[in-house]
Amino acid sequence: MSMYGRDPWGGSLEISHADSATDDERSRTLQDLDRAALSTTSRQLDETQQSWLLAGPGDQGKKKKKYVDLGCLIVSRKLFLWIVGALLASAVLAGFVTLIVKTVPRHHGPKPPVDNYTLALRKALMFFNAQRSGPLPKHNNVSWRGNSGMKDGLSDSAVHRNLVGGFYDAGDAIKFNFPSSFAMTMLSWSVIEYSAKYEAAGELGHVKEIIKWGTDYILKTFNSSADTIDRIAAQVGQGDTSGGPTPNDHYCWMRPEDIDYPRPVYECHSCSDLAAEMAAALASASLVFKDSKTYSQKLVHGATTLFKFARDQRGRYSAGGTDASKFYNSTSYWDEFVWGGAWMYLATGNTSYLQLATHPKLAQHAGAFWGGPDYGVFSWDNKLTGAQVLLSRLRLFLSPGYPYEEMLRTFHNQTGIIMCSYLPIFTSFNRTKGGLIQLNHGRPQPLQYVVNAAFLASVFSDYLEAAATPGWYCGPNFYSVDVLRNFAKTQIDYILGNNPRKMSYLVGFGNHYPKHVHHRAASIPKNRVKYNCKGGWKWRDSHKPNPHTIVGAMVAGPDRHDGFRDVRTNYNYTEPTLAGNAGLVAALVALSGESNGVDKNTMFSAVPPMFPTPPPPPAPWKP
């Protein structure tokens, strides 16, 4: 085989002996050829290289300049150089930009400041941590509180039931189940509507933990595993001081951690208002914890048992001059039937509860068709206003139709009338010169009613917006939803310090707030000294500020003249309550954040479709 191999187009590249050139001529010719082409290696030449060898001198140079072989592709040399150049330039430019970005100091613009409602919300939730009874979790974040009430229920030989846990009602150490259940219902309602806002504020886990602390305790107050019950624990601790200086939770001024006197348990066997409110608390919480199926079902079962007891054993829990009647006297149980029935329907989807809540006779007993001085006042005692707003939501978003539409329309219309009564242009309620609405007609402790109205106005305005309704009518005049929100904002702003005294009635918010809060645990130093029943009176009567700041407590509020006395012994000014703070939290979360809007779906997560699913279409006809 010759040194050139074979020509792939046929024939040999070997020089024939028949050529006329002499050996010397052949030698001179070889010297003129490219020595690389005469390599003594035995590698095969590819087609392109072989074509260059066969081409003439002019053609060979032209092809080298015009084309580049990329193996599987031959491209124009000019195009190839442009592409390579562009890639190199891009790489250099990218590297240069990266170098600039890494070396130049970054100047981020300041984040927009958190609005006052969100700041106040975070503080208002802390109050519930300060009110906890029982063994406190490690992350409770109230350094001056400790475990307390560790024998509640067990120390009462007549009951001997574990009632450890729950919340103290106010500045005392009594657990009133009627207002505390209402507080849990309000918190649950606010979470159902505004879970996204809670999450944005970083408080969703916190508020759910607070609700669970309350519902776990409610489940202890009756036989929650049974379908039928005959009694409920209505209260732990005694507040009556008319019987003399017998140690109890109102006569003694002690830290809850130091209590050593008896704490009786009050049970009721006929308490429709209490049972229906407790049912509302568990039913609403079941929607909050809908992702925890086992716990949610446990709450629904307990609520069902309670509501059955409320309907079967009619009576007021505070009748007959009980201890609770001196502090939280219930005027009737019909409003709790409407309120509890609405929540039971939303938690179960059972239409029998909706039929009850929309029954005309029940609405009539609850006072839905007449006014009166307290019509439209939503509180721990009167749930009718809240129930009407809740059922208006049902009409706006689900519209169940017959046979519920007539009463739902009535509730919706009445809700509109109540919203009108909140506006300054109407005279249903007076206002102080500073602008605070007098929902309790100038009586003491006004703020708990104001915050509930602010929440209802905010949430109803969000309902209207979500239903693509720009406002509502008050007589012949049309008002936009902005008017409602403005009412809510002016009332909450008053509480946060926009008032004649420039006093924030939310402890820990702003620079000027009450320092002598009527609260036992906050007013006695944690100094390892156990003060007995009367020994703590010196702290009660002291003119010095509380040694502990009870952050987030909304005090009772000013008088009808915008006046306020920061005096510990005057609870009408300085005592906070569980129910009051729950309404404040609900109003704050509704107003917080940059955007409005409610969660339209979670409220109806347990409600089945209102109308049956249409049958599938028939199979296509075949000849």
Side-chain angles (χ1 to χ4, degrees):
M1 181 176 179
S2 71
M3 62 184 294
Y4 300 108
R6 288 191 59 81
D7 178 7
W9 285 275
S12 171
L13 294 177
E14 183 179 342
I15 300 175
S16 173
H17 292 287
D19 287 349
S20 59
T22 65
D23 291 342
D24 291 337
E25 289 172 339
R26 287 198 299 271
S27 177
R28 284 194 297 270
T29 303
L30 290 172
Q31 289 175 0
D32 294 334
L33 295 175
D34 185 1
R35 295 186 181 275
L38 300 178
S39 173
T40 58
T41 62
S42 60
R43 67 180 177 86
Q44 295 288 331
L45 301 179
D46 60 34
E47 295 178 2
T48 303
Q49 292 171 322
Q50 291 173 2
S51 68
W52 289 345
L53 290 176
L54 294 175
D59 294 336
Q60 183 181 356
K62 203 176 289 184
K63 286 188 178 181
K64 277 187 177 180
K65 291 179 182 178
K66 282 189 174 183
Y67 301 102
V68 175
D69 181 19
L70 300 179
C72 61
L73 182 67
I74 299 175
V75 298
S76 165
R77 177 176 290 274
K78 188 175 181 181
L79 178 61
F80 176 74
L81 292 176
W82 269 104
I83 294 174
V84 171
L87 291 174
L88 290 174
S90 300
V92 171
L93 181 61
F96 184 66
V97 171
T98 304
L99 182 64
I100 292 176
V101 170
K102 288 187 176 182
T103 55
V104 174
R106 302 178 184 180
H107 297 286
H108 295 294
K111 292 183 178 180
V114 179
D115 61 274
N116 280 343
Y117 303 125
T118 301
L119 291 173
L121 170 68
R122 292 169 178 167
K123 293 183 181 296
L125 286 169
M126 284 296 295
F127 174 71
F128 293 89
N129 293 15
Q131 296 302 103
R132 282 179 173 170
S133 178
L136 302 185
K138 293 181 179 179
H139 57 275
N140 197 51
N141 296 330
V142 181
S143 60
W144 42 273
R145 282 301 323 280
N147 298 344
S148 63
M150 300 298 289
K151 296 182 180 179
D152 281 355
L154 299 172
S155 60
D156 189 330
S157 57
V159 176
H160 199 68
R161 177 190 299 167
N162 181 2
L163 295 175
V164 176
F167 295 97
Y168 297 125
D169 172 65
D172 47 53
I174 304 176
K175 294 190 287 196
F176 289 108
N177 293 351
F178 191 49
S180 67
S181 296
F182 173 70
M184 295 305 106
T185 310
M186 287 295 290
L187 290 181
S188 293
W189 190 2
S190 70
V191 172
I192 294 167
E193 303 288 13
Y194 300 110
S195 60
K197 287 191 174 187
Y198 274 113
E199 193 164 11
E203 294 290 341
L204 181 59
H206 187 193
V207 69
K208 289 176 72 172
E209 182 189 9
I210 290 170
I211 294 169
K212 190 173 186 299
W213 190 272
T215 53
D216 282 349
Y217 172 73
I218 292 174
L219 290 170
K220 289 182 175 183
T221 61
F222 66 103
N223 186 0
S224 58
S225 61
D227 295 331
T228 303
I229 57 175
D230 63 354
R231 70 189 65 194
I232 295 175
Q235 177 182 330
V236 178
Q238 185 179 21
D240 184 19
T241 58
S242 61
T246 304
N248 63 44
D249 291 282
H250 268 173
Y251 181 76
C252 298
W253 195 268
M254 300 174 66
R255 297 178 70 245
E257 294 80 2
D258 296 335
I259 290 175
D260 55 4
Y261 50 78
R263 284 168 58 81
V265 176
Y266 292 87
E267 289 188 324
C268 64
H269 299 267
S270 173
C271 38
S272 300
D273 35 21
L274 172 61
E277 182 54 66
M278 291 169 67
L282 297 185
S284 57
S286 74
L287 298 175
V288 172
F289 297 103
K290 63 184 179 65
D291 294 333
S292 303
K293 188 175 180 181
T294 301
Y295 189 64
S296 182
Q297 289 177 344
K298 185 177 182 180
L299 293 173
V300 170
H301 181 268
T304 305
T305 300
L306 284 168
F307 202 75
K308 181 178 184 298
F309 172 70
R311 295 286 294 158
D312 292 344
Q313 304 294 328
R314 302 290 179 89
R316 290 189 303 118
Y317 94 106
S318 58
T322 63
D323 191 73
S325 67
K326 299 175 178 62
F327 307 98
Y328 290 100
N329 184 47
S330 173
T331 52
S332 78
Y333 51 76
W334 300 106
D335 54 317
E336 275 84 19
F337 280 169
V338 181
W339 171 250
W343 280 114
M344 288 301 299
Y345 170 67
L346 293 169
T348 64
N350 187 334
T351 55
S352 64
Y353 293 116
L354 183 58
Q355 290 171 1
L356 174 68
T358 57
H359 197 286
K361 286 289 185 182
L362 188 60
Q364 182 179 1
H365 286 309
F369 304 130
W370 57 278
D374 293 326
Y375 190 76
V377 180
F378 183 38
S379 72
W380 53 264
D381 179 31
N382 188 354
K383 318 295 167 40
L384 176 65
T385 303
Q388 291 184 142
V389 173
L390 193 62
L391 290 168
S392 297
R393 185 197 211 281
L394 183 69
R395 181 174 187 255
L396 282 168
F397 299 138
L398 285 191
S399 187
Y402 180 84
Y404 317 107
E405 169 61 19
E406 184 176 354
M407 276 307 305
L408 290 179
R409 184 175 68 249
T410 300
F411 287 145
H412 192 173
N413 292 338
Q414 293 299 100
T415 296
I417 293 172
I418 291 167
M419 296 301 152
C420 297
S421 72
Y422 292 159
L423 304 184
I425 56 175
F426 294 90
T427 58
S428 302
F429 301 102
N430 294 327
R431 279 170 166 74
T432 67
K433 290 183 178 180
L436 185 71
I437 189 170
Q438 296 288 285
L439 293 167
N440 63 339
H441 307 289
R443 295 190 292 269
Q445 307 173 29
L447 296 187
Q448 59 179 311
Y449 308 102
V450 172
V451 292
N452 289 343
F455 169 68
L456 292 184
S458 298
V459 78
F460 186 67
S461 70
D462 285 342
Y463 291 168
L464 293 178
E465 281 195 332
T469 305
W472 85 112
Y473 279 95
C474 295
N477 301 318
F478 184 83
Y479 294 92
S480 72
V481 293
D482 294 335
V483 175
L484 270 183
R485 292 191 71 84
N486 185 61
F487 159 75
K489 287 181 178 180
T490 57
Q491 298 305 302
I492 298 301
D493 289 346
Y494 182 103
I495 294 171
L496 298 182
N498 187 16
N499 54 62
R501 297 184 62 87
K502 304 302 177 186
M503 166 77 78
S504 168
Y505 296 112
L506 178 65
V507 177
F509 185 85
N511 298 319
H512 184 40
Y513 51 82
K515 302 295 196 300
H516 304 78
V517 180
H518 182 94
H519 194 275
R520 284 159 174 75
S523 66
I524 302 175
K526 185 181 180 181
N527 55 7
R528 298 185 179 180
V529 176
K530 181 178 179 179
Y531 299 94
N532 60 23
C533 180
K534 292 184 179 181
W537 287 8
K538 71 174 184 177
W539 299 109
R540 179 194 66 189
D541 301 332
S542 170
H543 297 293
K544 294 180 180 180
N546 288 349
H548 308 297
T549 302
I550 182 165
V551 175
M554 183 186 74
V555 295
D559 58 30
R560 68 177 72 187
H561 305 294
D562 297 307
F564 181 80
R565 295 184 62 207
D566 190 7
V567 179
R568 189 178 298 109
T569 53
N570 195 330
Y571 58 86
N572 282 329
Y573 287 113
T574 59
E575 186 171 23
T577 64
L578 212 63
N581 253 73
L584 174 65
V585 166
L588 287 171
V589 74
L591 294 173
S592 68
E594 298 179 358
S595 59
N596 305 330
V598 294
D599 180 341
K600 291 174 62 175
N601 301 317
T602 301
M603 184 69 78
F604 305 126
S605 58
V607 178
M610 298 300 299
F611 306 103
T613 305
W621 179 81
K622 293 182 180 180

